[in-house]
Amino acid sequence: MYKFFAFLNRMKYIRRWSLMHSIREENIMEHSQQVAVLAHALALVANREFGAQYDVSRIVLLAQYHEVSEVITGDLPTPIKYFNREMKTAYKALERKASERLLDMLPDSLREDYAEYVLPDEGSPEYRVVKAADRLAAYLKCVEEMRAGNNEFKKAMLSIEEDLRKLGRPEVDYFLREFAPAFDLTLDELD
């Protein structure tokens, strides 16, 4: 029996931001969907405004599956994942093993179709858009928490914003300038 999709369903139960108190809990499924939407926007902006030629559909699928290994490993907070080179290397190996295990749960006829998204080339230009979208999602989570009065996210928000600006990606700068300010508005202010 193939269990791949049953495992993916677990994404809605694995919480993120486990080291920080959140006003609104977020699970990996919600996070992955948000990253897919943000990656889509970044790819479109890059293509339309800055002459990039990204395969937008591929980027969206890469984003949708970018955290899939966490259905097995759980979410490990960023400060722990990147504590030092050894920790980062060990965690990357664990993520890869988890992703391989998930792929093994698919029928042989589908495994290759999913492999490019579950085990992506992390050095590809498309995956770098996904990583920027992932970082942008973290920033927007901080904005949401700060707007709700949760000052525990202030340092993270400032640090992530600085990281985003240092990326030197025009589509990210465009998003921060044109779209991000709206995330700090109330529903009445958006109307």
Side-chain angles (χ1 to χ4, degrees):
M1 178 179 211
Y2 300 109
K3 301 173 186 171
F4 180 82
F5 296 104
F7 260 88
L8 291 187
N9 190 51
R10 289 187 63 223
M11 292 174 79
K12 66 185 175 191
Y13 300 112
I14 300 171
R15 286 194 254 165
R16 298 193 47 82
W17 299 96
S18 56
L19 287 181
M20 298 169 75
H21 169 74
S22 296
I23 300 293
R24 190 188 71 74
E25 294 295 334
E26 176 185 63
N27 63 48
I28 294 187
M29 188 176 281
E30 290 171 322
H31 169 73
S32 294
Q33 192 276 337
Q34 183 185 31
V35 172
V37 168
L38 293 171
H40 182 237
L42 291 177
L44 288 175
V45 167
N47 286 353
R48 303 266 193 264
E49 300 293 326
F50 303 106
Q53 295 183 1
Y54 291 124
D55 179 339
V56 176
S57 296
R58 177 172 163 65
I59 286 172
V60 170
L61 285 170
L62 284 167
Q64 193 61 48
Y65 289 99
H66 85 283
E67 302 277 28
V68 73
S69 66
E70 291 185 9
V71 301
I72 293 175
T73 66
D75 182 32
L76 191 61
T78 299
I80 296 170
K81 279 185 204 179
Y82 301 108
F83 180 71
N84 61 32
R85 189 176 312 191
E86 292 166 340
M87 182 70 83
K88 181 180 177 182
T89 301
Y91 191 72
K92 284 287 183 193
L94 180 64
E95 284 181 319
R96 181 163 186 86
K97 286 285 186 200
S99 294
E100 289 169 352
R101 182 172 172 213
L102 285 167
L103 284 173
D104 286 342
M105 293 177 187
L106 285 166
D108 291 340
S109 62
L110 296 176
R111 198 168 292 144
E112 188 176 325
D113 296 303
Y114 280 91
E116 69 178 297
Y117 304 110
V118 175
L119 286 171
D121 172 3
E122 294 184 7
S124 73
E126 292 87 0
Y127 197 77
R128 287 195 293 273
V129 173
V130 172
K131 291 308 288 180
D134 190 32
R135 204 71 179 127
L136 187 56
Y139 172 74
L140 295 174
K141 171 64 175 168
C142 293
V143 169
E144 174 187 26
E145 289 289 331
M146 290 291 296
R147 195 169 76 52
N150 187 354
N151 290 326
E152 190 170 339
F153 281 77
K154 184 175 185 173
K155 183 177 177 185
M157 183 183 75
L158 296 173
S159 174
I160 295 168
E161 182 178 15
E162 182 179 338
D163 290 348
L164 286 167
R165 295 195 188 282
K166 286 181 182 176
L167 288 176
R169 300 192 67 91
E171 67 274 18
V172 172
D173 296 336
Y174 182 99
F175 191 98
L176 289 171
R177 183 179 63 251
E178 300 296 328
F179 300 128
F183 285 80
D184 203 24
L185 300 176
T186 65
L187 283 176
D188 289 339
E189 292 169 326
L190 285 171
D191 191 15

